[in-house]
Amino acid sequence: GAVVSQHPSRVICKSGTSVKIECRSLDFQATTMFWYRQFPKQSLMLMATSNEGSKATYEQGVEKDKFLINHASLTLSTLTVTSAHPEDSSFYICSARRRAAGPDTQYFGPGTRLTVL
Amino acid sequence: GDSVTQMEGPVTLSEEAFLTINCTYTATGYPSLFWYVQYPGEGLQLLLKATKADDKGSNKGFEATYRKETTSFHLEKGSVQVSDSAVYFCALIPYQAGTALIFGKGTTLSVSS
């Protein structure tokens, strides 16, 4: 099956620092990757949609200057949380849509737990 | 806008009990409907899906039927196992509105032996 990895799985950082999270499709090419944020006991909220080679499309209310997304290749997308603050602490999950697959075929990474002190 | 509402958890059952997790949706047109499962420490996995009215999705003993008249997609399993303990998410993709999933809040299922 299609595998999506995320790195790191957990990260703890000091307030004001930047953190980069990688999302990789290991055995397929992903034309589209999605970044979600999950709060405790709440749903996954879509943050942005990332298409290879183009700028990410951010959802309303998501600061694009704070959450930098780069989709440089068909197998890698990165989310950088800039100048992180405690309120950015959350579980970040990416998903990837396989090239030539239907719009309902997404594969999820295991998530990254970010804790900002 | 489009949304998904699923029953609050946690749901606690004994092994071999019958499981129902309710899910209703609000959407224009004909969305595709999904159930995802998240086991402890793992990513979301697609459990089953249905893309049109009256379709029944099934997998691993779980099933759900796309009911347009009641805008529902309830998840059922006749006999749960301890290994089914996980968080279950109902989700939809709006018809002709891009490919991002819209999720419910998730329902935690805990099965004891």
Side-chain angles (χ1 to χ4, degrees):
Chain A
V3 178
V4 175
S5 70
Q6 279 184 243
H7 178 78
S9 58
R10 294 177 181 272
V11 57
I12 301 172
C13 68
K14 293 182 179 179
S15 186
T17 60
S18 294
V19 175
K20 180 185 285 189
I21 301 170
E22 293 185 347
C23 176
R24 293 182 185 273
S25 55
L26 298 184
D27 51 0
F28 66 97
Q29 292 183 326
T31 51
T32 305
M33 287 185 171
F34 304 93
W35 286 95
Y36 295 86
R37 184 172 178 178
Q38 184 179 24
F39 293 98
K41 298 185 179 180
Q42 294 195 27
S43 181
L44 281 74
M45 302 300 298
L46 179 67
M47 298 175 66
T49 302
S50 168
N51 290 297
E52 187 265 338
S54 62
K55 290 183 178 181
T57 302
Y58 290 81
E59 295 299 299
Q60 191 174 9
V62 178
E63 300 176 58
K64 57 184 175 183
D65 293 332
K66 180 167 188 62
F67 297 99
L68 301 178
I69 291 172
N70 183 279
H71 192 162
S73 77
L74 285 172
T75 59
L76 174 64
S77 176
T78 60
L79 167 67
T80 302
V81 183
T82 61
S83 187
H85 288 94
E87 59 265 30
D88 299 324
S89 298
S90 193
F91 195 56
Y92 294 88
I93 302 173
C94 72
S95 72
R97 183 163 73 85
R98 188 197 288 253
R99 168 182 268 188
D104 58 353
T105 306
Q106 290 187 33
Y107 302 94
F108 285 82
T112 297
R113 173 76 59 192
L114 170 63
T115 303
V116 184
L117 303 176
Chain B
D2 297 348
S3 65
V4 176
T5 302
Q6 61 182 105
M7 63 187 289
E8 296 282 333
V11 174
T12 303
L13 295 173
S14 298
E15 206 165 23
E16 299 184 2
F18 184 86
L19 169 71
T20 300
I21 300 178
N22 290 337
C23 171
T24 57
Y25 67 90
T26 300
T28 55
Y30 296 86
S32 294
L33 302 175
F34 306 83
W35 277 100
Y36 280 84
V37 58
Q38 186 177 29
Y39 297 103
E42 298 184 17
L44 273 76
Q45 301 173 27
L46 177 64
L47 181 60
L48 52 85
K49 67 179 182 182
T51 57
K52 60 182 187 294
D54 299 326
D55 268 3
K56 177 185 284 188
S58 62
N59 185 26
K60 299 181 181 179
F62 292 90
E63 57 182 36
T65 302
Y66 189 144
R67 302 285 188 198
K68 184 160 180 63
E69 63 275 14
T70 55
T71 61
S72 65
F73 193 55
H74 304 322
L75 182 68
E76 297 182 336
K77 186 174 185 182
S79 176
V80 293
Q81 305 300 312
V82 173
S83 57
D84 294 326
S85 298
V87 182
Y88 292 82
F89 292 91
C90 186
L92 67 82
I93 288 180
Y95 180 67
Q96 291 184 330
T99 59
L101 286 153
I102 296 173
F103 286 91
K105 289 188 175 183
T107 302
T108 299
L109 170 65
S110 179
V111 180
S112 58
S113 58

